[in-house]
Amino acid sequence: MTWEPVIGVEVHVELSTRSKMFCGCAVDFTSPPNTNVCPVCLGLPGALPVPNRRAIEHLMSIGLALGSEVSSRSVFHRKNYFYADLPKNYQISQYDVPVCRGGHLDITVDGETRRIGIERAHMEEDTGKSTHVGLGGRIHAASATLLDFNRSGVPLVEIVSRPDIHSASDARVFAQELRGLVLELGVSDARLEEGSLRFDANVSIRPAGSTGLGTKVEIKNMNSFRSLERAVDHEVSRQIGVAESGGELVQETRHWDEEAGVTHPMRTKEGSSDYRYFTEPDLVPMTFDDAWISSVAATLPELPAQRRSRYQEVGLDGRQAATLAESPPRIRQVFDEATGLGADPTAAFNWLSGEVVSHLRRAGLESEELHLGGAELFELVTIVEEGLVSATAAKEVLEGVLTGEGGPREVASSRDLIQVSDATRIGEVVDAVLTANPDAVAGYRDRGEEKVVGFLVGQVMRQTQGKADPRVVNELLREKLASQPGGTPATG
Amino acid sequence: MTPDGPTIVEAGRRLREGKTTAVALLESVLDVAQLTEAIVHAYLTIDREGAFASAAFADEELANGRDRGPLHGVPVALKDNMCTRGVETTAASQILGGYLPPYDATVVTRLRQAGAVIVGKTNLDEFAMGSSTENSAYGPTFNPWDVSRVPGGSSGGSAAAVAIGSALGALGSDTGGSIRQPAALTGLVGLKPTYGTVSRYGLIAFASSLDQIGPLTRTVEDAAVLLEAVWGHDPLDATSYDGAYPDPRAEMGRGVDGIRVGVVRELSGEGYEPEVETATANMVDRLAGEGAEVVEVSLPSFEIALSAYYLIAPAEASANLARFDGIRFGLRIPGPTTEALMSATRAEGFGPEVTRRILLGTYGLSAGYYEAFYGQAQKVRAAIRADLARVYTDVDVLVSPTSPTVAFEAGARVADPLAMYLSDICTIPSNLAGDPAVSVPIALDGRGLPIGFQVMAPALGETTLFRVAAEVERLAGFTARPVIDLVAS
Amino acid sequence: MPVDVDIAYVARLARLELSDDELETYRAQLGVILEHAARVQDLEGDPHVEATHTLGLENVFRDDVVTASLSRDEVLAAAPEARDGYFVAPPALET
Ligand SMILES: [Mg+2]
Ligand SMILES: [Zn+2]
């Protein structure tokens, strides 16, 4: 039997606000432990939460970018569970009335675009950080836990996909696409190594072609795109193995062991998932009216998907549009300016994705340091079209522009790269070359050797140090060969 | 002895007439405490040093013409569930023994800004859970009117201190009647203001949607003085009201002519002591005699208010008290794992009533029971609000006894939690509604024990509430003070 | 009839390590209290319940502004166990 994996991904995104979700402590992961803490984020007796408006607006931005519906009314809930790094032993989170519902994110794999549904996006607070020390430092062998509450109360958005993903690699691409989106929105640093982006996955399998849902297993502790893909991959194989050997899958939570490359069942006590959600009585409801929603919508930047379709509209193909849509802002800016001035989109794209990117790479520069404006790219494309410089010479022109020698026309002339297209001057060189190569001329004239033309063009180009316009050279050569004494080519 | 200390208003007058000083006022309340604490046990902590420093500073400011208003230089007490920076705050629990908060509750900051002298922290039922102040990990408080009886609770320490004169006024907190019921049982005025008008920041939470801080004082006017000092919008409390506040004094002294008074039918009958019912009925008659339009009203949902309360309050408490886990502060009983440590610490640190309510609240929220219990209780709460909204189109205030009984014997209800819970039957509806309510002493029963009369008003109805309360006070002419047999100690 | 409560389960959820005797006492007490509390089910009608503040407060937020944190020394002074600027707890699971 063939099996189809059914995967849903939950992504936790730490927002990059200045202060925490419910108190004024700084969001700063470089501080020494327990220095960005106060009664609220330490859960001291008597302290009360007050929500950060900017964090809520960041969540609205994410929702709007995903095409979610922003609820007209939303409330916070308490999610009750005991854990040493959860100071109040409840997390302020959202339950049945999240801020954002629905929406989707498109992912493109091998040129094929798939739409992944979004279930919801809600607001919650992060926990503190536990460091397990002692024998080996591994969680099962720890002898003590060191607790730092600097991260406690940092605003966290949880985005839950629908179970629309059917391969481990798509799960990875979904997560990567989501990372791109929050970076684009400027709402999170999305640094995986700092844990500001974290993933859980819900995995089940079903016989290919069926539509039911199998027993769902939740896997946790993936901290990179690679480990998300590996963990899902492993879990799918494990489930298929169990199913095919006649075993029964159990609904459970499993922990991804990065080193061993396997998932383990989490050691949890019975009842630990009874979260006893109830409305957070320390907070009042949030309401979102059209004015607020549209004021947040107005601050949204253009998103990758929107850009992709815009680039296709101006004439790039799907692959080019996708590449450019994911390029750094500076590159896109140069493209937009150049094409705005009238540069051919494909030519502009080719320059940027080819020569410009490899120049940056060679020089070890960030795209922000690029020494090329939209007007200069437009000029470069134009002088190639006009035949002022050859395609080969144009690369040299760009090189000069990028190293600060001046604008394209300026560089073309100072580096003496301007193409000669004056027929009289080229004609003189052609005559000289024909005179110097009588055998070649005879080969063409008597035996119709077509390759001779290429050879002679090469000779002319060499004589002119490549500055002659090849089209003009070709035309003149054929013309003069045809009128050489001794008649017409045999092939006539 | 019989306390003879001044009211807050009298003390303020004497201070400004130069007849006393803040230090002298403080010395006199400390003298009372010295004589009575062994018998009454109103305080958990007396902050002599801090209190003398603020009294001396208050005298200096007053001498220099800096007058912070009617509380300036007046010695007051705080229920020990309000955080005081660097001064032990225990909520009467073993689990917080020795705890020194790193910050002041907003009400504490406001009292200091008003120039009040904070004498110390008063006893309470552990985490404010109880109606007798017998559930304190540090021993019970006794009623100054009869030290074999309870002072009510949970703000029993604050009530006893003001009744005996070891503070001129005090703050309590009221979740289901914890200010009004002890006020009634100790012959004081006790006010629960409208929910959201006094900041809860720094109040160790019992049930967040019900808790409200308020004053216990000897007179209605004193209650206004304390209320005005502490209420007002606080950006640190997201449930704090940020609109216009009523003026509690605006109509005080105008009598009750034309005021529509509703007598709540459901708050009478079985379980109510005859003398309490008689005193209540007499006061209603006298209000009518002053021109009030008295009608009997029915609020059927009040019958099940107590049941709803004993699901909602413990549910919120079960989460609010989860932070007491032995990790960041307070008691720790070691264990091999975090879970073992937490479970051992909590079992050891919480007393039986707190444990009982945590279990009750946890059960009511747990999978499979939420809808039938907590969810249904919220519906009752909504029904109570709807009932009240309907009734308040016809009346301005509602009245009832504050407590079905006068102060009961210490130990009498300890073994029967349900009987204890019934002590709050008259006071709970105002908490569920979020409305203001006040208890005013109106009489002594045949045994010389005080009886309280409750006036309830709609949210932000403090102007009318104080108007009626002041008239009740005038009509009752209640001037009795407890007599303590110091030799009995 | 008293409500039958799985008291051991509830105690574990609440992180309360109680003896068998204590569990039995609380089981009996909760049964009686819940029998009384179950009267909430007698409510007539089905009122619409929304979490609302008495005074109808909505949309209470703070600006995204950093305010002073506590001093670490003061914070850790209240801790049962601290080391190198951290709070210390035993491992999450039995080692
Ligand atoms: Mg979450
Ligand atoms: Zn903080």
Side-chain angles (χ1 to χ4, degrees):
Chain A
M1 191 182 322
T2 49
W3 299 89
E4 180 185 45
V6 179
I7 303 156
V9 175
E10 283 178 30
V11 180
H12 284 88
V13 183
E14 266 181 351
L15 301 184
S16 53
T17 47
R18 291 190 190 93
S19 64
K20 293 184 180 181
M21 185 61 220
F22 296 113
C23 64
C25 291
V27 173
D28 178 0
F29 302 113
T30 62
S31 310
N34 295 307
T35 52
N36 297 327
V37 294
C38 75
V40 178
C41 57
L42 272 178
L44 296 189
L48 294 174
V50 185
N52 184 332
R53 184 186 291 103
R54 188 188 305 264
I56 294 295
E57 291 182 345
H58 281 357
L59 168 56
M60 290 164 75
S61 305
I62 292 173
L64 291 170
L66 291 169
S68 310
E69 184 199 340
V70 176
S71 313
S72 59
R73 191 171 183 282
S74 181
V75 298
F76 285 105
H77 276 73
R78 290 186 184 177
K79 179 182 184 178
N80 296 283
Y81 66 98
F82 285 82
Y83 207 82
D85 60 20
L86 183 66
K88 300 183 295 296
N89 287 316
Y90 60 81
Q91 180 192 35
I92 304 179
S93 181
Q94 296 200 276
Y95 184 50
D96 52 1
V97 272
V99 173
C100 302
R101 277 180 219 268
H104 58 84
L105 185 65
D106 290 338
I107 60 170
T108 302
V109 180
D110 301 330
E112 207 179 298
T113 298
R114 286 189 276 278
R115 176 154 289 194
I116 310 301
I118 300 293
E119 188 66 42
R120 58 187 279 151
H122 75 238
M123 191 78 242
E124 56 186 39
E125 53 177 341
D126 211 342
T127 62
K129 217 167 189 169
S130 299
T131 308
H132 307 284
V133 294
L135 311 167
R138 288 177 49 229
I139 188 165
H140 288 178
S143 64
T145 304
L146 301 182
L147 297 160
D148 170 14
F149 293 99
N150 283 348
R151 201 183 68 178
S152 166
V154 167
L156 204 58
V157 163
E158 180 175 327
I159 301 161
V160 183
S161 89
R162 296 221 169 96
D164 291 349
I165 301 170
H166 301 290
S167 74
S169 62
D170 276 11
R172 170 181 52 77
V173 174
F174 172 80
Q176 285 170 327
E177 187 79 15
L178 206 50
R179 176 174 188 269
L181 182 123
V182 297
L183 280 172
E184 197 76 46
L185 292 170
V187 300
S188 173
D189 298 334
R191 297 212 177 101
L192 277 87
E193 65 283 6
E194 284 173 11
S196 47
L197 205 63
R198 304 194 284 273
F199 319 107
D200 299 332
N202 290 306
V203 179
S204 64
I205 54 167
R206 64 186 173 199
S210 78
T211 53
L213 287 176
T215 304
K216 190 174 78 176
V217 171
E218 188 178 6
I219 42 176
K220 290 180 173 292
N221 193 44
M222 292 83 78
N223 46 25
S224 67
F225 294 126
R226 192 177 116 83
S227 71
L228 171 64
E229 183 170 357
R230 285 179 70 208
V232 170
D233 225 6
H234 169 271
E235 179 58 23
V236 168
S237 316
R238 188 191 70 83
Q239 290 188 14
I240 291 172
V242 171
E244 293 194 336
S245 63
E248 190 145 338
L249 287 160
V250 286
Q251 183 161 345
E252 60 180 346
T253 301
R254 297 176 72 90
H255 181 96
W256 168 245
D257 183 334
E258 181 74 37
E259 274 171 54
V262 295
T263 60
H264 295 297
M266 299 255 270
R267 277 207 270 168
T268 49
K269 296 234 170 171
E270 182 196 350
S272 66
S273 61
D274 189 344
Y275 291 125
R276 291 159 285 137
Y277 280 101
F278 71 101
T279 311
E280 167 57 279
D282 286 330
L283 297 172
V284 298
M286 298 177 279
T287 55
F288 302 94
D289 59 15
D290 291 344
W292 194 9
I293 296 170
S294 44
S295 78
V296 172
T299 66
L300 293 188
E302 187 186 33
L303 298 163
Q306 293 169 309
R307 271 204 301 271
R308 266 199 302 269
S309 49
R310 180 164 63 81
Y311 292 146
Q312 276 179 284
E313 278 160 29
V314 301
L316 298 187
D317 68 27
R319 193 192 49 81
Q320 291 169 330
T323 306
L324 185 59
E326 280 151 28
S327 300
R330 174 82 181 124
I331 298 289
R332 289 187 274 108
Q333 186 197 348
V334 174
F335 176 86
D336 291 344
E337 284 173 12
T339 51
L341 290 168
D344 174 63
T346 306
F349 170 81
N350 286 336
W351 280 115
L352 288 167
S353 64
E355 291 303 307
V356 170
V357 166
S358 55
H359 162 79
L360 290 173
R361 200 178 306 126
R362 275 196 312 273
L365 295 174
E366 293 294 325
S367 57
E368 286 76 26
E369 299 168 274
L370 179 64
H371 204 286
L372 178 77
E376 290 166 318
L377 179 59
F378 168 60
E379 196 175 306
L380 182 66
V381 171
T382 307
I383 62 176
V384 175
E385 267 173 17
E386 286 172 351
L388 189 66
V389 294
S390 68
T392 323
K395 291 183 184 175
E396 255 190 82
V397 172
L398 178 65
E399 179 74 31
V401 173
L402 292 172
T403 51
E405 291 174 22
R409 284 182 198 277
E410 208 180 332
V411 173
S413 106
S414 68
R415 288 202 179 189
D416 200 14
L417 295 168
I418 293 180
Q419 200 158 241
V420 178
S421 24
D422 172 8
T424 319
R425 247 209 80 200
I426 296 176
E428 287 165 16
V429 180
V430 169
D431 287 343
V433 166
L434 292 179
T435 311
N437 294 284
D439 293 351
V441 172
Y444 181 82
R445 187 189 55 211
D446 303 339
R447 296 182 292 279
E449 287 170 3
E450 191 59 28
K451 62 176 184 193
V452 162
V453 179
F455 167 76
L456 292 172
V457 167
Q459 292 301 306
V460 177
M461 294 310 283
R462 182 176 300 169
Q463 298 272 317
T464 58
Q465 286 99 44
K467 282 179 283 182
D469 184 335
R471 273 174 312 172
V472 178
V473 173
N474 230 302
E475 245 168 60
L476 283 174
L477 254 175
R478 288 183 185 280
E479 212 174 86
K480 289 186 189 265
L481 276 171
S483 62
Q484 281 293 310
T488 54
T491 52
Chain B
M1 65 160 274
T2 290
D4 59 357
T7 63
I8 291 173
V9 171
E10 285 163 4
R13 192 177 308 127
R14 289 191 212 168
L15 268 169
R16 280 162 193 79
E17 286 168 356
K19 291 181 179 154
T20 188
T21 63
V23 168
L25 284 169
L26 174 62
E27 277 167 345
S28 69
V29 298
L30 289 174
D31 286 347
V32 174
Q34 175 80 34
L35 288 169
T36 58
E37 269 307 285
I39 306 163
V40 173
H41 190 221
Y43 283 94
L44 291 176
T45 302
I46 291 182
D47 180 22
R48 290 184 68 90
E49 208 179 311
F52 272 111
S54 10
F57 184 66
D59 283 334
E60 198 185 306
E61 283 195 325
L62 285 166
N64 293 332
R66 168 92 211 258
D67 192 335
R68 292 172 178 266
L71 271 183
H72 204 162
V74 174
V76 297
L78 291 175
K79 187 176 182 177
D80 198 31
N81 58 353
M82 299 172 210
C83 289
T84 40
R85 181 170 189 157
V87 175
E88 188 175 354
T89 302
T90 66
S93 182
Q94 210 64 258
I95 212 161
L96 273 183
Y99 177 63
L100 304 178
Y103 75 106
D104 275 335
T106 295
V107 290
V108 173
T109 306
R110 297 212 169 158
L111 284 177
R112 293 194 201 288
Q113 281 163 353
V117 173
I118 296 170
V119 181
K121 312 294 291 289
T122 57
N123 200 11
L124 63 150
D125 287 297
E126 184 179 355
F127 287 106
M129 295 178 185
S131 309
S132 67
T133 317
E134 292 168 289
N135 299 329
S136 167
Y138 305 102
T141 295
F142 296 101
N143 193 324
W145 293 83
D146 177 347
V147 293
S148 72
R149 291 172 187 268
V150 302
S154 64
S155 308
S158 284
V162 178
I164 201 70
S166 53
L168 303 195
L171 291 183
S173 64
D174 190 316
T175 305
S178 282
I179 290 172
R180 290 162 287 159
Q181 184 256 15
L185 271 46
T186 58
L188 298 176
V189 173
L191 169 75
K192 183 198 90 72
T194 302
Y195 181 82
T197 59
V198 181
S199 171
R200 295 184 294 111
Y201 190 76
L203 170 69
I204 299 177
F206 163 14
S208 311
S209 75
L210 301 162
D211 294 344
Q212 196 57 196
I213 292 173
L216 290 110
T217 55
R218 289 201 2 238
T219 67
V220 172
E221 195 181 358
D222 278 5
V225 169
L226 260 181
L227 177 66
E228 286 167 337
V230 298
W231 77 349
H233 178 242
D234 178 11
L236 297 177
D237 176 355
T239 63
S240 171
Y241 176 57
D242 61 353
Y245 280 64
D247 178 356
R249 297 167 191 272
E251 297 179 5
M252 268 170 67
R254 288 205 197 159
V256 290
D257 192 15
I259 297 282
R260 298 168 303 166
V261 174
V263 180
V264 183
R265 183 187 301 154
E266 285 76 12
L267 301 181
S268 64
E270 199 194 331
Y272 288 75
E273 287 179 351
E275 284 188 88
V276 169
E277 297 223 276
T278 306
T280 306
N282 285 343
M283 179 51 69
V284 169
D285 286 348
R286 299 188 66 177
L287 289 169
E290 294 297 318
E293 296 167 27
V294 175
V295 289
E296 193 184 63
V297 297
S298 177
L299 295 107
S301 59
F302 276 30
E303 301 272 16
I304 45 176
L306 186 76
S307 294
Y309 175 85
Y310 276 97
L311 291 167
I312 293 170
E316 292 183 12
S318 71
N320 283 331
L321 271 61
R323 69 188 63 194
F324 299 93
D325 61 4
I327 304 291
R328 286 148 295 119
F329 53 83
L331 180 74
R332 168 178 288 194
I333 304 296
T337 63
T338 300
E339 181 179 342
L341 178 152
M342 287 180 177
S343 300
T345 300
R346 291 164 58 78
E348 176 72 22
F350 292 136
E353 182 60 29
V354 173
T355 302
R356 190 152 44 234
R357 294 204 199 185
I358 290 173
L359 291 168
L360 190 54
T362 303
Y363 173 83
L365 289 172
S366 65
Y369 304 102
Y370 178 97
E371 284 307 326
F373 288 101
Y374 183 79
Q376 188 63 26
Q378 291 292 15
K379 289 185 178 177
V380 172
R381 188 172 189 174
I384 288 167
R385 288 183 177 183
D387 262 4
L388 281 165
R390 174 179 54 78
V391 164
Y392 279 130
T393 61
D394 297 330
V395 301
D396 300 308
V397 294
L398 294 172
V399 299
S400 75
T402 307
S403 163
T405 70
V406 295
F408 45 90
E409 292 284 341
R413 299 182 188 174
V414 172
D416 184 353
L418 196 54
M420 187 72 91
Y421 296 172
L422 286 164
S423 313
D424 300 330
I425 198 148
C426 304
T427 45
I428 274 170
S430 303
N431 297 86
L432 291 171
D435 292 346
V438 63
S439 178
V440 181
I442 51 169
L444 296 178
D445 77 351
R447 291 161 296 187
L449 297 169
I451 296 170
F453 182 81
Q454 180 174 234
V455 186
M456 297 166 263
L460 297 178
E462 273 84 351
T463 299
T464 308
L465 190 74
F466 272 83
R467 174 177 175 173
V468 175
E471 185 64 4
V472 170
E473 181 179 53
R474 189 186 71 82
L475 293 171
F478 186 91
T479 54
R481 304 295 305 265
V483 182
I484 285 224
D485 181 2
L486 294 173
V487 185
S489 66
Chain C
M1 217 176 57
V3 174
D4 189 20
V5 177
D6 180 353
I7 195 74
Y9 170 77
V10 176
R12 195 162 56 233
L13 269 184
R15 294 290 186 273
L16 289 162
E17 185 192 302
L18 302 173
S19 69
D20 290 348
D21 282 355
E22 287 169 321
L23 286 174
E24 180 47 34
T25 304
Y26 288 121
R27 192 191 63 76
Q29 288 174 339
L30 257 61
V32 174
I33 297 166
L34 285 164
E35 182 183 8
H36 189 272
R39 292 174 55 197
V40 293
Q41 290 147 19
D42 299 345
L43 179 71
E44 283 175 26
D46 193 12
H48 176 60
V49 179
E50 268 197 344
T52 49
H53 186 279
T54 299
L55 301 173
L57 263 58
E58 284 179 348
N59 287 343
V60 176
F61 298 107
R62 37 176 285 278
D63 291 334
D64 184 24
V65 171
V66 174
T67 54
S69 292
L70 291 170
S71 112
R72 184 166 77 181
D73 290 347
E74 194 172 5
V75 163
L76 293 179
E81 192 185 344
R83 185 200 303 169
D84 305 331
Y86 292 91
F87 294 87
V88 180
L93 300 163
E94 198 98 42
T95 53

